[in-house]
Amino acid sequence: MRKNSLTLMQIVMAVLFITGIAFAQFDDPTKDQIPQTLRDINIPYVYVPYAVITIDDYDNFVMGTTYSEGHVSINPLNPLQFFTGWNINVAFYVHNGIDWIQTPVTFPNAAGDPVTAVDSLGNLYYETMKSPVTGCWVAKSTNFGQSWLFTNVTAVSGNDKNWITCDMTAGPYSNYVYSIMTSSSTASFWRSTNQGTSFSQTASLTPHTYPGAMVCVGANGSISGGCVYAVTHLGPNYAGTYTFHLSTNGGASFTTQSSVMWSNYIGTEISGRSTVNGMRTRPYPMIAADNSWGPYRGRLYCVYASNEPSGNGNKPDIFLRYSTDKGVTWSARKTVNDDPNTQNNHQFFPAIWCDNFDGKLYIKWYDTRNCPTSDSMDVYATYTADGGNTFAPNQRITNKIAKTKLSSSGNPPAYQGDYDAIMSNGKVSVPVWCDFRNNNYTSMSAYFPDFAMRLNPTQDSLNSNVGNITIQMQVPSVKLYADTVIVSASITPTPPAGTIAITYPSGNKLSSFPGNVPVKLTGTGGVTPGTYTLLVKSQGPNGTPVHTRTATIYVSSTVTGVGNEIEVTNNFELFQNYPNPFNPITRIEYTLATVTDVKLVIYSSLGKEVASFSYPKQQAGKHTAFFNGGNLSSGVYFYKLTAGDFTDIKSMILLK
């Protein structure tokens, strides 16, 4: 007798068919969204103590683990103030160039794709898509991310990838805010003329089918901010058409300047997606315009990735073209990456920014040149100071190479976000990116140009009465940094008795590299014996880049004579946090005797884990993590260090 029930094979095939359809429908290459497979996994946002990863004397800054897609803005009124937004609705600000603090932004709902902008008054705008996606919310802050005036203004309508920018000039459209978003087969353009209080639509730009509409502001002759540019993207990915639109009346209306077909495949096409080693990468262009009063004022730039030679399965390069007539005609393409044989490596995922002060165009991208098998990548960056004709030698920004894709990031194709960003402050730029070195979506930033920093020695002894020692602040190398490094230092804790004086026998500035600045410590008045920390800060003339290093100073009344030292061996040790009590950031230091995996966990007084971070194979020596308790209530907390077989726990007090 024939049974009506399905066989196991039929059930399996049906499930595969249904889920395949669902995945294909969700992972539509005409939309930039997190794949449903990752949403089902529900990888949480993990807030870790703010940390600096120092390798080979260069710093990368960690902000936590998110779904990538970071964007960054810098306050034009204060070069030490940055803000970053990440998927999904996770944001950080920093007001001293180094200590990142999480800021809660409570939108009515949020679907991700955060982008940010800042106007000439320092007003910060943070935009994210609504959920369900019908447009975008925008939030506004007047203190660069500490708090928010509003979070529920509609900035633009549409159903996918958005962008936002501000007129940062003193021109006739000063502080206008512009937003653009994919809306079916058009790009919906909105603007605010009242500093974000309200937005209204002024244009629907075509042709446009794929994500990638972008907006930027440039000069129109002597009129600062007189040109508003938008680029739209007509698919498919492997043969896209970029159309450039221009407004000379503050975004009230647009004219079409040109349509071009510059791009071809990027890496290998999988399921309608451009991919590198199975990880999807964006195919759309990035634009920027020069608003400075430099020699290339008014120039419009377009940067994109494309295979060279063209064809599916080849390797992409980064290309730049510029226009001197507002996007009507364009220069021949310029290859941005400078690896000796570009056909051996993948260069992809560019982001750009044109500095408002000096007109330099900064460009960052992912690059596989340090991996012979091309399955791992670094972030690289450069700039052009002559309007796009030549580029500074490419610089590696990441201080550790990482796999191109996560083992759990969806397949096929894998997901790592569809954009990131770079912005500058007149001296240096701050790129942000998603980093896979710990096999998660780590949110990171750095400085470029930059300098390395080292203290030598990192521990020494000092006589409590008449002793003196010298710690050398060394800059062993630079990454295109050619400005002055200014050094300052402090001792913590303050000795209960006596004084440890800090002087700079050769001055506290360094302008040639490699080089060093001696930092002299003199103990007088019977300094209380104990262990102290010397914090040395080095920074550029406008405060950036900024880096810190610490040395341990052992004060003893038994040491006699300048230069006589006690023997100090490297052990596993967890130090007391400083300051303590703290609000909201404290420094946690520890030393490692050998290379080992490290985990630091923060617990509440009830034993609940409130934060953690882990780093594989940290080098022997002294390390520093910064814990930010901004999202916690006052009270006693415990921090536990696990390093190989070593474990130690100490308490600390958060006092708000």
Side-chain angles (χ1 to χ4, degrees), residues 303-306 316-320 334-337 346-352 363-367 391:
V303 171
Y304 59 98
S306 199
D317 287 334
I318 306 297
F319 298 108
L320 176 142
K334 307 282 185 175
T335 303
V336 175
N337 45 288
H346 296 271
Q347 282 86 22
F348 58 105
F349 214 78
I352 64 174
I363 311 170
K364 67 142 290 290
W365 65 92
Y366 285 125
D367 198 308
F391 303 95

Side-chain angles (χ1 to χ4, degrees), residues 105 107 115 124-128 130 136-140 148 150-156 164 177 196-197 199:
V105 189
F107 293 105
V115 283
L124 173 69
Y125 300 91
Y126 174 31
E127 181 180 271
T128 189
K130 298 179 178 180
C136 291
W137 302 114
V138 70
K140 179 181 177 180
W148 301 90
F150 54 75
T151 60
N152 61 347
V153 170
T154 297
V156 68
I164 193 171
V177 188
T197 302
F199 287 75

Side-chain angles (χ1 to χ4, degrees), residues 318-351:
I318 306 297
F319 298 108
L320 176 142
R321 297 178 190 256
Y322 61 82
S323 175
T324 59
D325 56 9
K326 303 181 179 63
V328 176
T329 61
W330 293 85
S331 70
R333 72 180 192 183
K334 307 282 185 175
T335 303
V336 175
N337 45 288
D338 63 4
D339 44 328
N341 188 341
T342 63
Q343 296 180 20
N344 288 345
N345 311 306
H346 296 271
Q347 282 86 22
F348 58 105
F349 214 78

Side-chain angles (χ1 to χ4, degrees), residues 103-419:
T103 176
V105 189
T106 308
F107 293 105
N109 48 65
D113 278 13
V115 283
T116 67
V118 58
D119 66 20
S120 66
L121 302 176
N123 293 314
L124 173 69
Y125 300 91
Y126 174 31
E127 181 180 271
T128 189
M129 294 196 302
K130 298 179 178 180
S131 180
V133 182
T134 58
C136 291
W137 302 114
V138 70
K140 179 181 177 180
S141 174
T142 57
N143 54 18
F144 227 72
Q146 284 183 292
S147 60
W148 301 90
L149 289 182
F150 54 75
T151 60
N152 61 347
V153 170
T154 297
V156 68
S157 64
N159 60 7
D160 196 43
K161 187 71 202 89
N162 52 298
W163 210 265
I164 193 171
T165 195
C166 291
D167 186 328
M168 299 174 65
T169 75
Y173 312 108
S174 177
N175 305 316
Y176 279 24
V177 188
Y178 305 110
S179 187
I180 195 168
M181 188 177 190
T182 299
S183 181
S184 297
S185 59
T186 67
S188 178
F189 183 90
W190 292 42
R191 70 172 184 173
S192 172
T193 61
N194 54 14
Q195 297 178 29
T197 302
S198 62
F199 287 75
S200 60
Q201 184 173 1
T202 61
S204 292
L205 303 177
T206 59
H208 184 70
T209 54
Y210 270 43
M214 188 177 180
V215 59
C216 70
V217 177
N220 185 6
S222 62
I223 304 174
S224 296
C227 288
V228 179
Y229 296 101
V231 61
T232 54
H233 182 204
L234 179 68
N237 287 338
Y238 59 85
T241 298
Y242 305 157
T243 299
F244 298 91
H245 310 266
L246 169 67
S247 173
T248 56
N249 54 14
S253 60
F254 285 83
T255 58
T256 299
Q257 301 295 90
S258 60
S259 290
V260 299
M261 292 186 67
W262 295 330
S263 65
N264 66 88
Y265 291 93
I266 304 173
T268 302
E269 196 85 357
I270 299 177
S271 302
R273 294 279 192 186
S274 300
T275 72
V276 172
N277 288 323
M279 182 190 72
R280 85 188 203 198
T281 181
R282 64 160 175 264
Y284 44 84
M286 307 291 285
I287 59 172
D290 191 341
N291 246 315
S292 75
W293 289 99
Y296 305 100
R297 175 178 171 85
R299 188 163 290 196
L300 175 64
Y301 300 98
C302 180
V303 171
Y304 59 98
S306 199
N307 281 0
E308 177 59 32
S310 62
N312 195 19
N314 292 327
K315 295 180 173 65
D317 287 334
I318 306 297
F319 298 108
L320 176 142
R321 297 178 190 256
Y322 61 82
S323 175
T324 59
D325 56 9
K326 303 181 179 63
V328 176
T329 61
W330 293 85
S331 70
R333 72 180 192 183
K334 307 282 185 175
T335 303
V336 175
N337 45 288
D338 63 4
D339 44 328
N341 188 341
T342 63
Q343 296 180 20
N344 288 345
N345 311 306
H346 296 271
Q347 282 86 22
F348 58 105
F349 214 78
I352 64 174
W353 175 261
C354 190
D355 193 274
N356 288 326
F357 298 95
D358 61 14
K360 282 183 181 178
L361 182 75
Y362 290 91
I363 311 170
K364 67 142 290 290
W365 65 92
Y366 285 125
D367 198 308
T368 68
R369 71 177 72 182
N370 297 320
C371 178
T373 58
S374 282
D375 70 345
S376 297
M377 64 186 184
D378 284 293
V379 171
Y380 268 74
T382 185
Y383 61 78
T384 173
D386 59 7
N389 292 307
T390 62
F391 303 95
N394 294 180
Q395 302 294 308
R396 183 186 183 219
I397 304 303
T398 40
N399 55 19
K400 184 177 181 181
I401 199 167
K403 291 295 184 182
T404 307
K405 64 179 180 180
L406 295 180
S407 59
S408 60
S409 59
N411 186 37
Y415 169 84
Q416 64 103 43
D418 296 293
Y419 65 94

